[in-house]
Structure formats: structure tokens, C-alpha cells
Amino acid sequence: MPLISLHGVSKSYPGGIEALSDVTFDVEEGEFVFLSGPSGAGKTTLLRLLLRMEVASRGDVLAFGRNLRALRSSAIPYLRRNIGVVFQDFRLLPDRTVAENVAVGLHVLGLSRRDIRRRVANTLYDLDIDRYAHHYPSMLSGGEQQRVAIGRALVMHPALILADEPTGNLDWELSNEIVRLFEELNSKGTTVVMATHDRFLLDACPRRTILLNRGMVIEDRPVPVQRTHDAAPRPVREAAG
Amino acid sequence: MIALRIAARQSLHLLGQGLKGLVVSPGQTAACILSLAVAGCLVVLSASFGSLAVQVLDRAGRSAKVLVYLKDEVPADRVKDLMARIGARPDVEAVQYVTREQDRARNTDLLPKDLAASMPPEAVPGQHGLDVTFRAGAGGTGGVTELAAFLRALSGVDVVAEPPVGAGRLRALGAAVGFLRTVVTMLAVLLLVGTLFFVVGTLTRTMERRRDEISILRLLGATDTFVRSPILVQGIFQGVSGMVLGALAALLVSGAVNAWLAAEFDVAVRLPTWPGLVLPLAVAGGTVVGVAGTFIATARREA
Ligand SMILES: Nc1ncnc2c1ncn2[C@@H]1O[C@H](COP(=O)(O)OP(=O)(O)OP(=O)(O)O)[C@@H](O)[C@H]1O
Ligand SMILES: [Mg+2]
């Protein structure tokens, strides 16, 4: 069963704007998918549907085997605990240190202080930002801030990462670095869906690419054969409650 | 077991988050608690002054009796006629005949015990007469004086004993206290409603301050309970601490008023203080304010 499955999904906003129209595709567990297309193509809207921040106007969005339209609102938090989100603008809390920013979601899980400290330390180490643990976000470069934001998502051990233009505020070299990071995570089994309109990045990292334009899928280019990963996918946590 | 520990840890974390909310705008929080205290204090005081007013009016009403002593030779049918005439007045509640023996018994009661015992019963004076009960509310203090003048002018009446001066003073005090109670109750209700919105204001401010954090928490899978309970903790803390402070202040004020009453009026009238009732009620009231405030704040702004 695919991890994500969209069937004839449309999303219209009041005022007749059709952000997505008749979108159909699947994403299997362990896949790395780029979501591409010009500004206004509907990339962000698609990610918002997957996070159940919006509900499709028509069609069905399935994630982790659940139809998101039928999801009770009390079950939404448990859906989201399987998904790590990364944004273009990082969305770090300026009055919290790097370690506190990364730890913010762990309190939701009710982990002990010791477990939180250990998980945060490991995550900061993996992302090579452990030396900034007690710094504030404003003291870091853009690339480092994005690593902190990625850390905040990864520390929750998500089965799926949704990244919305995570390299939009970074220069070429840092962008490349961030994508390598996602590829590394993917090689360990995490499914990654990354929205970007950076053509150079798409060329440098040949991956399956879903091209959107005006809300429609105009191309679904498969991953070039030489670059498949056979790592076991990260198991999906059972949604409690 | 594990679920219980997770719940305990989360509760502790959320409690901490709630208390942190108190210092988001410390000035506003302090002002909020203070005005809740004033409102709570006024509510308690108005209840206790109301109870005092009832006591005082009751006492004043009971002492507003005019004693009419009749001349010895007034016959029984003349007494009946007098009672009918007096009873017909609108400012008279009741007229009761007092025999010589009844009056003697009363006078004996007034004497010191040992003196009364040493005297022969006939040595205590006794005179027949009428107990005229003044109808409270049919007139002011002037009403009693006017009634006394009317009674004095009747033929066969020997002496008219007006109620003691203290009664009029007490009645006036009772009326003043009753008025004060109405004013204070209205003020307290207004203040409580105003303060509720003050509480809502501080909670909204905290939510505003935490908006980015809350939207991140939502994306990381925080439940409604997780996001909202710190707000509830903050609201209940403000509500309970304000109301309990107010109740304590009210107890202090009634203590002072009682000391003054004892010194100024030599009467057994006291402001009632119900510490065993007021403090639990303050806690309950504060909780209600906190819960209502949270409800309004989170309904107005999706947290
Ligand atoms: N809340 C909304 N209300 C009305 N229209 C919206 C809303 N959100 C998005 N849209 C519209 O939907 C269309 C798709 O927007 P979306 O943000 O998904 O595009 P995008 O591909 O992410 O663009 P970009 O690359 O600029 O981020 C746009 O025309 C946008 O104006
Ligand atoms: Mg976008």
C-alpha cells in the first residue's frame, strides 16, 4: 500500500481559485519525490492537504492508509506525529535556544527530561550543529537555522518528511547540502516529499519529480534507474486514540 | 503504567507552561489578580453587610414598641374601645393589653436578681396598659414620635413610654447598611464582569505571544488539550489567587468593622464572617472565572 495516495484531488478557494485540479499520484514508502512547478502551481496547497491543514474540495487524499477527509479532528495530531515538516522560512522560535527549539515537539510526546536531552543531543550531532546547542537562532547562518528546523522535525522520528521550498532562502552550496541531508535520511528509510522550483537542484539531484502547473500534474518523471535505495523503510508509528 | 507516567510528565510540563504565561505581561497579570481580589472582597462584604442589615432591622423592629400606661380607674370596655381606635391606625402593627400582674412581672425581670428576691412581690410596681407595636416602614423615626403624641392625647392614658433613642439610630443604620449593600453588590457584579474580560485579555495576550509556538506545536502533533491547558492553568491561577486574596481581605475588613461596632454601639450586632465557607467558595469562584475566561479566550481566537 502506498504511503501517500491522491485520487482526483481538487482544491478550490473562495473566489473561484482552483489551487489543485484533478491531481492523482501515489508515493510509496521509502521514496524521495520532488514536487516542482512555477509559483502558484499548488505545491504548498498539496502539502497542506497532506498535513490535514486543509481538506480537499473533491477527490481523496490518503496518508498512512487513512482517508484524511474521514479523519476525526481529534485524530489529526496523531497523523501529524508521523510527519516532519520543514519550511522555507525555518519558523524557529527566536527566544529559545537551538536545543530548546529542537526539543519543542518532544514535550508533546511526554518523554522524560533525560530522553529529551539524549534525543536532542543525538539529532544535533547528526546534523553537525551540536556546537550551537545553546545559541539563539539569530546567531546562526541561514543554512544552520534550516538545519535546526530540520532537527526539530527529525527528532520526532517521522516516517515522512514534507519540505516546502526548504532551500528557498539558501545559496546554491547550502541548498545542495540540505538536499544531500534529505537524501541521507531517505537512504535510512524516511520517505521525503520536497517542494522546490529550483531547476539546478532538480538537475543536480535526479529523483522522481512531479511537475505541477496551475494545479494540474503535467509530468510525473520517474527516478533514473541508477539511483535507487533499497534500505528498509522506517516503520510507521501506530496512531493512538 | 507507562501511559500514567507520560500523563504525569505532560501535566507537570503543562502546569509549568501555564505558570510561565503569568509572566508574559506581569503588570497586567498583577492588575488582573488585584481587581479580581477587589471584586471578590466586595462580593463577600456585600453578603456580610446584607446579613448585618437584616439583623439590625430585626432588632430595631422589635424594639419599636410604645408602652401606654393607663390610669388605674379605666374600665375594661373603655380599654377595648381604646384598643380598637389605636389598632385602626395604619402605622400600628398590633395592640396588646398588659395586665397589672404582667407589668409587675416585667419590672421584676428588670431588677437585679438578688434585689428582686429580697422584695415582697407587691413592692414591685405594676400598672395596666397597652403594648403598641409600631409598623416599620409606615414612616421614619418621626412616625414613632407622632404616634406617641396621638396616644398621649387619648383620655385615660397616664404615661406614654417611647422606644429608646438607640432604636431610631439602629434603624437608620440598618437602612444605610441596606443601601450600601445594594450599591456594593452592583459594583461587585460590574467589577466581576469587567474583571472576567481582564482575565480574557491576559489569556489572549499569552496566546498571542505563543502564536508561533502554538502553530509549530500543532504541526508537530500537539492535541487541543496540550495547546489549551496552559491557558487554563493560567486562568485558574489568576482566578483562584484573586478570589482568595479578596476573601482574605474581606475577612480582615469585617474584623475591623466588628471591632468598631463593638466600640461605638454597645449592641450585640456583628458582621458575620464565614471563613469556613468563604475560602472554599473563593477557590470555587476563582476556578469558575478561570474556566470561563479560558473558554471565552480560546473561542474568540483559535489556539
Ligand atoms: N488560503 C488561500 N486562499 C485563496 N487562495 C489561495 C490560498 N492559498 C493558496 N491560494 C492560491 O492557490 C494557488 C496555489 O497556491 P500555492 O501556495 O499552493 O502555490 P505554490 O506552488 O506553493 O507557489 P509558490 O512557489 O509561490 O510557493 C495560488 O494561486 C494561490 O494564490
Ligand atoms: Mg508555496
Side-chain angles (χ1 to χ4, degrees):
Chain A
M1 188 177 49
L3 194 68
I4 296 170
S5 193
L6 284 85
H7 296 288
V9 170
S10 299
K11 175 70 191 174
S12 36
Y13 285 109
I17 304 156
E18 182 124 298
L20 291 174
S21 49
D22 198 20
V23 172
T24 299
F25 66 84
D26 289 348
V27 175
E28 299 292 335
E29 264 186 67
E31 260 195 288
F32 188 124
V33 182
F34 280 122
L35 214 52
S36 190
S39 182
K43 307 182 288 292
T44 298
T45 303
L46 206 153
L47 297 181
R48 289 173 65 84
L49 288 178
L50 289 170
L51 283 165
R52 190 44 162 79
M53 296 167 80
E54 312 266 5
V55 182
S57 312
R58 279 187 306 283
D60 289 312
V61 180
L62 279 77
F64 302 98
R66 301 236 185 153
N67 190 327
L68 300 194
R69 182 191 306 287
L71 208 61
R72 280 175 297 117
S73 67
S74 61
I76 295 173
Y78 300 97
L79 164 80
R80 290 181 183 166
R81 287 181 196 182
N82 290 309
I83 305 175
V85 207
V86 180
F87 303 98
Q88 176 174 350
D89 55 357
F90 321 138
R91 304 205 192 164
L92 298 175
L93 302 172
D95 57 343
R96 311 279 176 99
T97 64
V98 164
E100 287 165 349
N101 264 287
V102 170
V104 79
L106 293 177
H107 296 287
V108 170
L109 302 180
L111 296 187
S112 73
R113 227 175 257 272
R114 189 151 49 96
D115 285 348
I116 290 177
R117 223 179 303 127
R118 201 180 47 223
R119 270 221 214 178
V120 169
N122 287 344
T123 304
L124 294 181
Y125 179 82
D126 288 347
L127 294 170
D128 196 24
I129 44 174
D130 44 342
R131 61 191 173 286
Y132 302 128
H134 303 296
H135 287 47
Y136 287 90
S138 59
M139 301 155 82
L140 307 186
S141 74
E144 289 158 350
Q145 287 188 44
Q146 190 58 296
R147 279 169 185 272
V148 177
I150 292 169
R152 180 179 60 196
L154 291 186
V155 82
M156 307 287 283
H157 299 336
L160 168 67
I161 286 187
L162 301 179
D164 193 0
E165 315 248 9
T167 61
N169 283 352
L170 306 178
D171 63 29
W172 165 247
E173 213 167 308
L174 284 174
S175 298
N176 227 333
E177 227 174 74
I178 295 292
V179 175
R180 298 290 164 225
L181 191 64
F182 283 136
E183 288 191 314
E184 197 187 315
L185 289 169
N186 176 244
S187 73
K188 290 178 191 155
T190 309
T191 309
V192 177
V193 177
M194 174 172 157
T196 182
H197 53 218
D198 188 334
R199 295 194 153 279
F200 297 108
L201 211 56
L202 293 172
D203 289 342
C205 314
R207 292 293 187 161
R208 177 183 170 194
T209 303
I210 297 170
L211 191 60
L212 289 171
N213 194 19
R214 299 183 178 216
M216 286 177 286
V217 177
I218 53 170
E219 196 189 345
D220 190 343
R221 195 182 329 136
V223 57
V225 272
Q226 73 272 18
R227 294 203 53 158
T228 44
H229 290 286
D230 299 312
R234 192 186 282 285
V236 177
R237 250 200 311 266
E238 246 326 293
Chain B
M1 193 56 213
I2 286 174
L4 209 70
R5 270 169 66 177
I6 289 179
R9 266 200 296 266
Q10 274 186 334
S11 309
L12 217 65
H13 173 76
L14 295 174
L15 196 73
Q17 289 288 309
L19 297 184
K20 264 191 216 162
L22 291 169
V23 294
V24 162
S25 38
Q28 210 179 351
T29 302
C32 179
I33 289 176
L34 207 71
S35 77
L36 260 176
V38 172
C41 179
L42 285 180
V43 168
V44 175
L45 284 182
S46 78
S48 107
F49 271 93
S51 173
L52 175 71
V54 170
Q55 273 186 50
V56 165
L57 285 172
D58 186 45
R59 227 161 254 274
R62 264 189 281 131
S63 48
K65 250 183 199 162
V66 184
L67 296 185
V68 179
Y69 288 105
L70 300 174
K71 288 177 182 142
D72 266 352
E73 66 276 12
V74 176
D77 55 342
R78 173 69 189 139
V79 170
K80 274 215 180 78
D81 178 46
L82 276 173
M83 282 175 75
R85 279 185 66 190
I86 296 167
R89 281 178 66 98
D91 57 352
V92 170
E93 180 81 41
V95 187
Q96 206 188 355
Y97 182 63
V98 181
T99 63
R100 270 178 203 89
E101 287 65 38
Q102 283 170 338
D103 186 49
R104 184 169 291 134
R106 274 190 197 174
N107 289 340
T108 310
D109 280 348
L110 289 178
L111 290 173
K113 283 257 169 334
D114 45 346
L115 184 61
S118 69
M119 278 168 81
E122 307 78 43
V124 180
Q127 187 177 358
H128 74 152
L130 298 171
D131 262 1
V132 179
T133 310
F134 179 66
R135 192 196 294 271
T141 330
V144 182
T145 320
E146 193 210 303
L147 177 64
F150 162 80
L151 294 170
R152 222 168 260 130
L154 295 171
S155 70
V157 169
D158 184 17
V159 177
V160 172
E162 279 183 57
V165 220
R169 227 174 133 198
L170 270 182
R171 228 183 359 263
L173 182 67
V177 161
F179 176 72
L180 201 68
R181 184 203 189 189
T182 313
V183 171
V184 166
T185 305
M186 271 160 52
L187 267 178
V189 167
L190 271 178
L191 210 63
L192 261 183
V193 171
T195 316
L196 181 62
F197 282 91
F198 213 164
V199 174
V200 171
T202 59
L203 298 182
T204 309
R205 188 116 162 208
T206 301
M207 280 158 59
E208 197 70 41
R209 182 69 62 89
R210 290 187 60 209
R211 199 180 52 207
D212 290 347
E213 186 194 350
I214 286 172
S215 71
I216 291 294
L217 283 173
R218 288 262 183 221
L219 285 173
L220 290 170
T223 55
D224 280 358
T225 311
F226 190 90
V227 169
R228 285 182 191 161
S229 43
I231 305 293
L232 186 65
V233 167
Q234 185 186 348
I236 289 179
F237 184 93
Q238 286 178 356
V240 169
S241 56
M243 291 298 240
V244 166
L245 260 165
L248 290 177
L251 291 179
L252 274 176
V253 169
S254 357
V257 168
N258 279 342
W260 175 76
L261 275 178
E264 197 71 11
F265 299 87
D266 194 16
V267 288
V269 170
R270 292 286 175 274
L271 265 184
T273 59
W274 313 275
L277 185 69
V278 161
L279 288 177
L281 271 182
V283 172
T287 307
V288 169
V289 167
V291 170
T294 306
F295 189 79
I296 298 172
T298 50
R300 282 209 313 197
R301 187 175 299 275
E302 169 51 16

